[in-house]
Structures are given as C-alpha cells and as structure tokens.
Amino acid sequence: MNKRPRPAHAGERPSPPEALLEAAFRVFATRGYRATRLEEVAEEAGVTKGAIYYHFEGKEDLLRQALKHRHRAIFGEIERELAQQRAPASTKIRLVLRRLWQHVLNPTWGHTFRLMFGEAGVEFPALFRMWAEEGPIQGWSVVRRLIEEGVRNGEFQPGVDPEVAGRLAVSGLMLQGALQVHSGLQDLAPCDLDRIFDSGVDLFVHGLTVTHNQPRMPTP
Amino acid sequence: MNKRPRPAHAGERPSPPEALLEAAFRVFATRGYRATRLEEVAEEAGVTKGAIYYHFEGKEDLLRQALKHRHRAIFGEIERELAQQRAPASTKIRLVLRRLWQHVLNPTWGHTFRLMFGEAGVEFPALFRMWAEEGPIQGWSVVRRLIEEGVRNGEFQPGVDPEVAGRLAVSGLMLQGALQVHSGLQDLAPCDLDRIFDSGVDLFVHGLTVTHNQPRMPTP
Amino acid sequence: MNKRPRPAHAGERPSPPEALLEAAFRVFATRGYRATRLEEVAEEAGVTKGAIYYHFEGKEDLLRQALKHRHRAIFGEIERELAQQRAPASTKIRLVLRRLWQHVLNPTWGHTFRLMFGEAGVEFPALFRMWAEEGPIQGWSVVRRLIEEGVRNGEFQPGVDPEVAGRLAVSGLMLQGALQVHSGLQDLAPCDLDRIFDSGVDLFVHGLTVTHNQPRMPTP
Amino acid sequence: MNKRPRPAHAGERPSPPEALLEAAFRVFATRGYRATRLEEVAEEAGVTKGAIYYHFEGKEDLLRQALKHRHRAIFGEIERELAQQRAPASTKIRLVLRRLWQHVLNPTWGHTFRLMFGEAGVEFPALFRMWAEEGPIQGWSVVRRLIEEGVRNGEFQPGVDPEVAGRLAVSGLMLQGALQVHSGLQDLAPCDLDRIFDSGVDLFVHGLTVTHNQPRMPTP
DNA sequence: TATGAATGAGTATTCATTCAT
DNA sequence: CATGAATGAATACTCATTCAT
C-alpha cells in the first residue's frame, strides 16, 4: 500500500525468476488477491518469503508482474491468421470465435477472469483496463471488423449492428466459459461445451445473415 | 478456544435488523469480502461491532445472510407477468430480456457479480451456486422455455437450440452489463446501453426466426 | 474490576435467588473464574444475563456470594458431636477424620478446592483465607486438640507434635481426595477410596501411639 | 477462516527460544492461563507478540511447551541418588521426602500447583495428567517402593499399606507446602517449615516402624 | 423484576514487511 | 541471492456491563 523507496539494488535487479511469477499467478488466481498469503506463494515456488522481497516491491507489485507475465495477447496471432484467409466473413468469424472459445476454456483464462472481476479489478483498476483492452475489447473488435466486411460484401444484412453483435457474441461465449468451465456450473446445469459453441455460432451467424423475404436489391 | 455453544436466544432469534443486512451487503459488495472490516459495516448501519455479533455468528454468517436477504428472485415476478401475456414468443422474449437487462444495469447486480466471481465464489462455493441457480441459470431457463414455445408454434426455426440460445443471450447481456456499466469500460470502449440491448435483441430474435428461404444474392 | 456505585435500589434488594447462586457456584467451579461466562451462569439458572445484574454487583460479587452461600462450616457440627463422646482420643480422631473424608469426597468440595487453588485464590485472596480458615485450618485444629488430649491422657506419645500431625493427616487426605476423586486420577493410578482412608488412619494413629520398648512411666 | 497449513518450517523447527518458554511459564503460573496476555509474555521475554507466533502455534501450544520445558523430572535424579545409598529404608525415605519437600517449597512448584488445579486442569486435562504422572504419582511411587523394601527387611511393620502410606506422606507435605508457602497461610496459621517436615517425617516413620509390642499402660 | 439489545474495551491471531547474516 | 527471525499494524471476535422497556 505505502510505497517504500526502491531498494538500493533496484537498478541492476535481474529478471525475476519465472517460477515465482508463475506461482504467484496460480495462487492469486486461485485464492484471490487479499486471501493470498505471500508465504504460500513462496512455498509454491520453493523459496521463502524473503526472496519475494528481493525480486519484487511487495504484494501489489508481484500481482502486477505476474499478470503482465501471463499476457500474451492472442489476438495478434489471430489477426495474422485472418489476413491470409480468403473466405466468406462468416467462415472467418467462425474461425475467430473458435480460437477465442479455445482460449476461454483454458484454466488460465478462468483464473484471470475471476481475478479481474474479484478484488483485483476494484483495487487495481489500471490492471483491469489493461486486461479488458487486450482481452474482451480486442476480441469483439476483431469480430466487429469481420461483420463489417460481411455487410460490405452483402453476405450479412445491412441492418446489423456490427459493434453490438461482436460484443454480444464474444461476451456470451466468455461468460458461458466462466460459468460452465471455471465455476463448476457444469454439474449444476450441464451442457456439452461443443454444443454451446456450435449451436451458439450457428445462431449468431444466422442472425447476421441476409434473410429478407423480399429479394434484396444488389447495391447499385 | 472452543466455539461457544449458540447463545440461548439462538432458536427464537428475531429477524435481525435489516439495516445491518443492507449495510453489510453494500460494504461487502463494494470492498470485497476480505477487505471489508466489520467495523465499517457496523458504522454504516449506525451500530457498533458488538451488535453484529449479537445478531450473527460472525463475518461469514453475515455475508451469507446479507446475500440471502438480497435474494428476492426477480424471476418469480417475471414468470407471473409472462403468464398473463397473450403474444408471440418473440415479444415475450423481448419482455423478459428487457427485465433482465434492467436488473443487470442495477449497481446491486454489478456488486454481486464481482463478489461472486471474486472471493465468495472460491471461499463459499455454496453461496456461488445459490446465486447462479437463482440468477443466470433461472434467467436462461425462462428464455429457453419461450424459445421452445416459439418453435412449437412455428414462429422460430425448428433447427434452433433453445438451451444454448437462452444461455448465450442471457450471458451476453450479463457480461456486457458487468463490463460496460459496472467495470468502467464505458469510457474505454463507449457504447450506448439502449443500443446494446436493442440491437442485441434484434440480432438474437432474427437468428431464431424462420427464414423464408429466398435465394441469397451472390456478392456482385 | 472497577467498582461502580451501588445502584439506587441496593438497600431494599431482597435475598437473591438461590438458583442463581447455585448455578454460579457450579459453573465457576467447573470452568474456573475467568473462563466462566455470565451468560452460561444465567442460562444454567434459567434467566438472562441482565437478571444477574439486578441481584449482584458484577462477576466478582457473584463469585463471592456464591461461595458464601455454599459455606456450611462442617466443623461446628463435628465439635458438638465430639463433646458428647466419651471415648479414647484415637477413636474420636477416627470419627473426625471420617467426617472430613466424607466431606472431601463430595463433588462440591472438589469444586471449591479447584476454585480456591485456581484463579480465585490469586485474584481474591480474602476469599481464599476465608475458605482456608473454615476448612483446612479448622480441620487440623480439631485434630490437633484431640491429639493433645490423647497425649495428656497417655494414649499418645509425649513426643508427638500435635500441630504438625494434625496438619499432615488432614492435608494428606484432602489432597488425595482432590487428586483421586476430583481430578480423574482414579483411572491413572487407581486406589480404593476406603482403603486410602482406613490404611491411612491406621498408619496415622499408629504413628501417634505409645510404642516405646521401655515401659512408659505413669506421669507422677 | 481455516487454520492455515503449518508453516513451511514446521518440521525442522529449531528449539524455540528458551527465553520465551521461561517467560511464558512465569507469567502463566503467576497470572493463570486465561488472565495471561500474550503481550506480557512477549515483553517479559524481550520480544514482540509476533515472535510468539513464529515459534508456537498459539496460546495453548505455548502453555504446553512451557510446561514440558519445565519438566526435567526431579525424580530421575532422586532415583539415581537412592541407588547409591546403602542405608535403612527409613533413612532413604527421609532423604526422598527431604528432596521432595525442597522441591515443593520452590515457588515454581507452587505456581504449577495452582495452574494445574486451576484452569489448566479443566481446559487441558492431558496436561494435568502429564503433570500428575511426573509429579505426585511418581513421588509416592518412589516412597512406596522404599516402604516395601523396609517391610521386606523387617524394618517396617508387615501390616503397613505401602501404597497408601506413600500417597499420604507425599500428599500431606505437598498440600502443606501449597498452603503455607504458596498461598500465604503462613501468617494466618504460622508454623515453622522445618518443624512441619521434621515432625511430620518422624511421625510417618514411627507409624511405619515395627512396634515392640510392650503392653500399653492404661491411663491412670 | 427481568429482558433483549447493544456497547466497547480487551485480546488472540494474521501477515506484509524488514533486515542481519 | 536467499533465509530465518522478528516486527507491528490491522482485525475478528469475546464478554462484562449498561439500560430502556
């Protein structure tokens, strides 16, 4: 909480041991920020509490670094993949959403989701914004652009709202992942995960697709 | 040393002061479970710490009761409203989703969402399940039933998956609410709330609706 | 701890309910002074905490009164009994010690013993002295007088130390009672209680009795 | 909420600072268990409260360890001393009882006695049993064996009950110690401590000793 | 008389943080 | 680099005591 002056050796401090960062992420994400005792992080990493203070400034700093360390924005990769595709927008959208869904199913994502909506989000808003930008927002932006493309080439209805459509598709899948997979709702309200994805995307794409019962006029 | 036996008045304990429950909910939801000091709850309710221990067993019990107290499930009311409606399924769905969206927009819901995905979910899984059952699960169950109704009367496509459709519609709106309204994303990625709802529901209903299979025009 | 001024109605306060005093004694003696919660005393007596404060000044006062209430000095009775006896001193001693042993075997005595040697003795020395005077000291005084009588009439050796003999006989039985009966040592180091008394008194009386191997000269 | 798992160093935890154990014993014995504030123990040992929790599990653990630490049973030493003696049983008994009396006179013993009959006895029965076994029970066992020896070699009467005799001799001295020395009875009913011991042991040994059955003279 | 509700001072316990070695 | 020992501020919880009714 209170910033103590950086220790004398701060400058030449070498890259902090990955083990510590990974242990920290695991424990923070499992227990929550407050409930995490540094002792447990240290134990998990096979060192002692003191070692944490050699590498990091304190608990808060540890969380920050641990989260940064986990941040490999998947979307860079996705965009690259998309650029090479020559396919209808709906196909590309399916591709993007599938990647996203795979990502969401990953325990790491579940942990981060909990962490972000738990205390960390409130106590460190900057962290939350960082995550939101690189995660959900980026996710629905990609989808939005693909929808716009689909509208432009007549594949999708001109009336659709690409922004909102992207948001809801991505949000829907994300929250379903968080609930079913990472919050143990699978046994309270079971539902096959593939079915969620497949039926969900079908519905979404169908919702976007041109279906007017008067023949749509080609754009002049 | 050993937990003292429940105080004499345990059985016939009268309804504990609502003020305390409401203050507790407010503070827990704002600060998170761990970060909440009982003293603050007491202050907020205009009593002292001791009073809390007169009415509740401890911090955990207080949280539990506070959440239960908030649980006047909105769905009972919604179902009643629906029963009186004589309208197409799509209209009813719009109605339900609107109610849900209004609920989601409420700060209370945002707080609960955070609490549930934060510490409470990990430390008190039973609470999480209770919330999930009375909240999200019930939400998408209602929608699922309406979709099934729509499918039966030919309003919706026979191919739709009512379960998944319900889940995604409800989840999408919920997470959008959590992000835009309760996590400050409105200024990072602004979007009009009415637009999210309206465009979103249009898209959703359109996705469900029977396609009068006109040949789709090839892109020119 | 801090003496608040006696409440206004102190003067006409009627005799406090026996139930309260008895419950108090039971709980204090079982749990110890500190560990006793007034709530438990109240419960045990079938009233509520507040009632205690109507009748007593506080926890300390309650203890004091509870102990006073239990105080039936048994020795007055014993002395009366003795006065009517025309028997050798050794017989009278046996009688006295038997009464004492019976008293010691009583749970009430065990409780008081614990209470006195526990915290109460340290925190309220006056109480301890009162108990000691009416209990152990009076006990060994009676025995001492009987020994002196026995020495005077040649039944016991002139060399015995009546004071010390009385003290040790009484103390020995008391501590054996406290340990075997009231501290659960009976199953750790079992010993028949009658045997302790009978063998013990035999040994004691034999120790007092004239056994010189030169014939003792009658006092001139 | 839940007791945290024993800290990482639990297994190889080195001998906890003696200073802490000794301070703890002092304060516990003086004030009683409940009335002892850990802060006072810490102060007495020249550390802070936190240090206690580094070395011990809590208040109860501290008491347990402190008592164990005090338990360098004196009887081992006594037995060794006895083994080297070639003397009549009565002499050996005097020796043992003198050691015991010296021990009983020690303030430490008085404190422990109070502690044992006070809260510790009720709240931690196991501790009480440990103390009883290594203290009183062991004490009277040693004496019992010496009496048996004396009986075997004709020094003591064949009719004596060594078990009971041992119990009463030891108990008598112990309680006299507790009362006179450690409970301030010396000024209420003064008695020279040496006299208690000397007259007491004389009486005891005389009680055990073979009577050269001269006819006892009738009182004149 | 007695009670239910509340108070508040006291205390055990936790844990991030420091630091000599 | 890392550790073991210690600190001390923060905080949940207990319970004697008060008092309006």
Side-chain angles (χ1 to χ4, degrees):
Chain A
M1 216 90 311
N2 50 346
K3 300 259 82 112
R4 82 198 140 105
R6 255 183 173 260
H9 55 270
E12 74 273 12
R13 190 184 276 173
S15 64
E18 305 239 324
L20 220 30
L21 287 169
E22 273 152 28
F25 178 80
R26 259 197 311 284
V27 182
F28 276 133
T30 310
R31 294 253 189 283
Y33 178 70
R34 250 16 209 226
T36 291
R37 289 175 307 115
L38 288 197
E39 189 119 44
E40 200 180 348
V41 173
E43 223 175 304
E44 184 93 3
V47 295
T48 54
K49 250 193 314 181
I52 295 180
Y53 283 86
Y54 182 77
H55 295 290
F56 304 94
E57 234 133 87
K59 196 180 186 180
E60 195 176 326
D61 184 43
L62 180 59
L63 171 65
R64 221 178 286 281
Q65 308 260 8
L67 277 173
K68 256 190 204 131
H69 181 252
R70 274 280 155 183
H71 253 304
R72 304 282 157 257
I74 51 155
F75 294 100
E77 191 193 338
I78 289 182
E79 299 254 29
R80 241 174 294 117
E81 214 178 330
L82 284 177
Q84 306 171 312
Q85 296 269 309
R86 197 108 324 261
S90 65
T91 304
K92 290 187 188 169
I93 285 178
R94 273 173 204 276
L95 176 78
V96 168
L97 290 180
R98 183 173 309 277
R99 282 270 178 285
L100 199 127
W101 183 240
Q102 282 160 354
H103 187 54
V104 160
L105 259 32
N106 195 291
T108 291
W109 185 84
H111 284 153
T112 315
F113 185 87
R114 300 199 84 101
L115 207 39
M116 283 305 143
F117 278 99
E119 312 139 280
V122 185
E123 303 206 41
F124 316 110
L127 272 187
F128 183 87
R129 297 171 84 86
M130 183 177 87
W131 172 77
E133 268 179 321
E134 301 189 18
I137 295 181
Q138 202 165 148
W140 69 57
S141 300
V142 171
V143 176
R144 187 201 61 226
R145 282 196 293 277
L146 292 174
I147 297 175
E148 286 165 349
E149 182 185 321
V151 169
R152 271 197 308 280
N153 66 25
E155 189 178 351
F156 296 152
Q157 300 183 73
V160 300
D161 183 334
E163 171 75 22
V164 170
R167 282 169 177 262
L168 288 175
V170 168
S171 302
L173 288 174
M174 279 184 167
L175 190 52
Q176 277 297 304
L179 287 168
Q180 293 299 117
V181 186
H182 308 300
S183 304
L185 243 56
Q186 195 58 275
D187 53 281
L188 202 62
C191 195
D192 184 74
L193 296 178
D194 286 337
R195 177 180 156 201
I196 293 180
F197 178 76
D198 292 327
S199 298
V201 175
D202 281 351
L203 174 71
F204 178 60
V205 170
H206 184 262
L208 295 170
T209 302
V210 169
T211 56
H212 306 279
N213 49 5
Q214 38 307 53
R216 195 167 67 76
M217 304 318 297
T219 47
Chain B
M1 213 101 313
N2 46 354
K3 269 276 162 257
R4 67 176 159 148
R6 257 177 170 262
H9 54 270
E12 72 280 6
R13 192 184 274 173
S15 61
E18 307 239 322
L20 221 30
L21 287 170
E22 274 152 27
F25 179 81
R26 264 197 307 282
V27 183
F28 276 135
T30 311
R31 294 252 188 289
Y33 178 72
R34 252 10 209 230
T36 291
R37 289 176 308 115
L38 263 326
E39 200 137 40
E40 197 180 350
V41 173
E43 225 173 293
E44 184 91 3
V47 295
T48 55
K49 247 190 322 178
I52 294 181
Y53 284 89
Y54 183 76
H55 295 287
F56 305 94
E57 231 119 277
K59 197 179 184 181
E60 193 175 326
D61 184 45
L62 181 58
L63 171 65
R64 221 178 286 283
Q65 308 255 14
L67 279 172
K68 258 192 201 127
H69 183 251
R70 273 283 154 181
H71 258 302
R72 303 295 154 246
I74 50 155
F75 292 101
E77 191 192 338
I78 289 183
E79 301 255 29
R80 241 174 296 117
E81 216 177 328
L82 282 178
Q84 305 172 313
Q85 295 270 308
R86 198 110 324 263
S90 65
T91 305
K92 289 187 187 169
I93 286 178
R94 273 173 205 275
L95 176 78
V96 168
L97 290 179
R98 182 174 309 278
R99 281 272 176 284
L100 204 125
W101 182 241
Q102 282 161 355
H103 186 54
V104 160
L105 258 32
N106 195 294
T108 287
W109 186 86
H111 285 153
T112 315
F113 187 87
R114 303 201 85 97
L115 206 41
M116 285 302 145
F117 279 97
E119 307 143 284
V122 185
E123 305 206 41
F124 317 109
L127 272 189
F128 183 88
R129 298 171 84 85
M130 179 178 90
W131 172 78
E133 266 180 322
E134 303 192 16
I137 294 181
Q138 199 163 154
W140 69 57
S141 299
V142 172
V143 176
R144 188 202 61 225
R145 281 196 292 277
L146 292 174
I147 297 174
E148 287 164 350
E149 184 186 319
V151 169
R152 274 197 305 278
N153 66 27
E155 190 178 351
F156 295 152
Q157 301 184 74
V160 299
D161 183 335
E163 171 74 26
V164 169
R167 282 168 179 263
L168 288 175
V170 168
S171 301
L173 287 174
M174 280 185 167
L175 190 52
Q176 276 299 302
L179 288 167
Q180 292 302 115
V181 186
H182 308 300
S183 304
L185 243 56
Q186 197 57 276
D187 54 280
L188 200 62
C191 194
D192 184 73
L193 295 177
D194 286 337
R195 178 180 154 201
I196 292 180
F197 178 76
D198 292 327
S199 298
V201 175
D202 281 351
L203 173 70
F204 177 60
V205 170
H206 185 260
L208 295 170
T209 301
V210 168
T211 302
H212 309 275
N213 58 330
Q214 287 75 8
R216 193 160 62 74
M217 304 316 295
T219 48
Chain C
M1 216 93 307
N2 50 348
K3 301 261 78 114
R4 84 199 138 103
R6 258 185 170 257
H9 55 270
E12 72 276 10
R13 189 185 277 173
S15 63
E18 305 240 322
L20 220 30
L21 288 169
E22 273 152 28
F25 178 81
R26 258 196 313 281
V27 183
F28 276 134
T30 309
R31 292 255 189 286
Y33 178 71
R34 249 15 209 228
T36 291
R37 289 175 307 115
L38 288 196
E39 189 118 43
E40 200 180 348
V41 173
E43 222 175 305
E44 184 94 4
V47 295
T48 53
K49 252 194 311 183
I52 294 179
Y53 282 87
Y54 182 77
H55 296 290
F56 305 94
E57 233 132 89
K59 195 181 188 182
E60 193 176 326
D61 185 43
L62 180 58
L63 172 65
R64 222 180 284 281
Q65 308 259 10
L67 278 173
K68 254 189 205 131
H69 182 251
R70 273 281 156 184
H71 254 303
R72 304 278 158 261
I74 50 154
F75 294 101
E77 191 193 339
I78 289 184
E79 300 254 32
R80 243 175 293 115
E81 215 178 330
L82 284 177
Q84 305 171 313
Q85 295 268 307
R86 198 101 334 255
S90 64
T91 304
K92 290 187 187 168
I93 286 177
R94 275 174 203 275
L95 178 77
V96 169
L97 291 179
R98 184 172 308 278
R99 283 271 179 286
L100 198 128
W101 183 239
Q102 283 160 355
H103 189 54
V104 159
L105 258 33
N106 195 290
T108 290
W109 185 85
H111 284 155
T112 316
F113 186 88
R114 301 200 83 101
L115 208 40
M116 284 303 143
F117 278 100
E119 312 138 280
V122 185
E123 303 206 41
F124 317 109
L127 272 187
F128 183 88
R129 299 171 83 88
M130 182 177 87
W131 172 77
E133 268 180 320
E134 301 189 17
I137 294 181
Q138 201 164 152
W140 69 57
S141 299
V142 171
V143 176
R144 188 200 62 226
R145 282 197 292 277
L146 292 174
I147 297 175
E148 286 165 349
E149 183 186 318
V151 170
R152 272 198 307 279
N153 66 24
E155 191 178 348
F156 296 151
Q157 299 183 73
V160 299
D161 183 334
E163 171 74 23
V164 170
R167 282 168 179 263
L168 288 175
V170 169
S171 301
L173 287 174
M174 280 185 166
L175 190 52
Q176 276 298 303
L179 288 168
Q180 293 300 116
V181 186
H182 308 301
S183 304
L185 244 57
Q186 196 59 275
D187 53 280
L188 201 61
C191 194
D192 184 75
L193 295 177
D194 287 336
R195 177 180 155 201
I196 291 180
F197 179 75
D198 293 327
S199 298
V201 175
D202 281 352
L203 173 71
F204 178 59
V205 170
H206 184 262
L208 295 170
T209 302
V210 169
T211 55
H212 306 279
N213 47 4
Q214 37 311 53
R216 194 166 68 76
M217 305 315 297
T219 49
Chain D
M1 212 102 314
N2 47 351
K3 270 275 165 257
R4 67 176 158 149
R6 258 176 170 265
H9 55 271
E12 71 280 9
R13 192 185 273 173
S15 61
E18 307 240 322
L20 221 29
L21 287 169
E22 274 151 28
F25 178 81
R26 264 198 306 283
V27 183
F28 276 136
T30 310
R31 292 253 189 287
Y33 177 73
R34 249 18 206 228
T36 291
R37 289 177 307 114
L38 287 205
E39 199 136 41
E40 199 181 349
V41 173
E43 226 173 292
E44 184 91 3
V47 295
T48 55
K49 250 187 319 177
I52 295 181
Y53 283 89
Y54 183 76
H55 294 288
F56 305 94
E57 228 119 278
K59 196 180 185 180
E60 194 176 327
D61 184 44
L62 181 58
L63 172 65
R64 220 177 287 283
Q65 309 256 13
L67 279 172
K68 258 192 202 129
H69 182 252
R70 272 281 154 181
H71 257 303
R72 303 295 154 244
I74 50 155
F75 291 101
E77 193 193 337
I78 290 185
E79 300 254 30
R80 242 175 295 116
E81 216 177 328
L82 283 178
Q84 305 171 312
Q85 294 271 310
R86 198 106 327 260
S90 66
T91 305
K92 289 186 187 168
I93 286 177
R94 272 174 206 276
L95 176 79
V96 168
L97 290 179
R98 184 174 307 280
R99 282 271 176 286
L100 203 126
W101 184 239
Q102 283 161 354
H103 186 54
V104 161
L105 259 32
N106 194 293
T108 286
W109 185 84
H111 285 153
T112 315
F113 187 87
R114 302 202 87 98
L115 205 42
M116 284 303 146
F117 278 98
E119 308 144 285
V122 185
E123 304 206 43
F124 317 109
L127 271 189
F128 182 87
R129 297 172 85 86
M130 179 178 91
W131 172 77
E133 267 180 321
E134 303 192 18
I137 293 180
Q138 199 163 154
W140 68 57
S141 299
V142 172
V143 175
R144 189 200 62 227
R145 281 196 294 276
L146 292 174
I147 298 176
E148 286 166 350
E149 182 186 320
V151 170
R152 274 197 305 278
N153 66 25
E155 189 178 349
F156 296 152
Q157 301 184 71
V160 299
D161 183 334
E163 171 74 23
V164 170
R167 281 168 178 263
L168 288 174
V170 168
S171 301
L173 288 174
M174 280 185 167
L175 191 52
Q176 276 298 303
L179 288 166
Q180 292 301 116
V181 186
H182 307 300
S183 304
L185 244 57
Q186 197 56 278
D187 55 279
L188 202 61
C191 194
D192 184 73
L193 295 177
D194 287 337
R195 179 180 154 202
I196 292 180
F197 178 76
D198 293 326
S199 299
V201 175
D202 281 351
L203 174 71
F204 178 60
V205 170
H206 185 260
L208 294 171
T209 303
V210 167
T211 302
H212 310 276
N213 58 328
Q214 287 73 8
R216 193 159 62 73
M217 304 313 297
T219 50

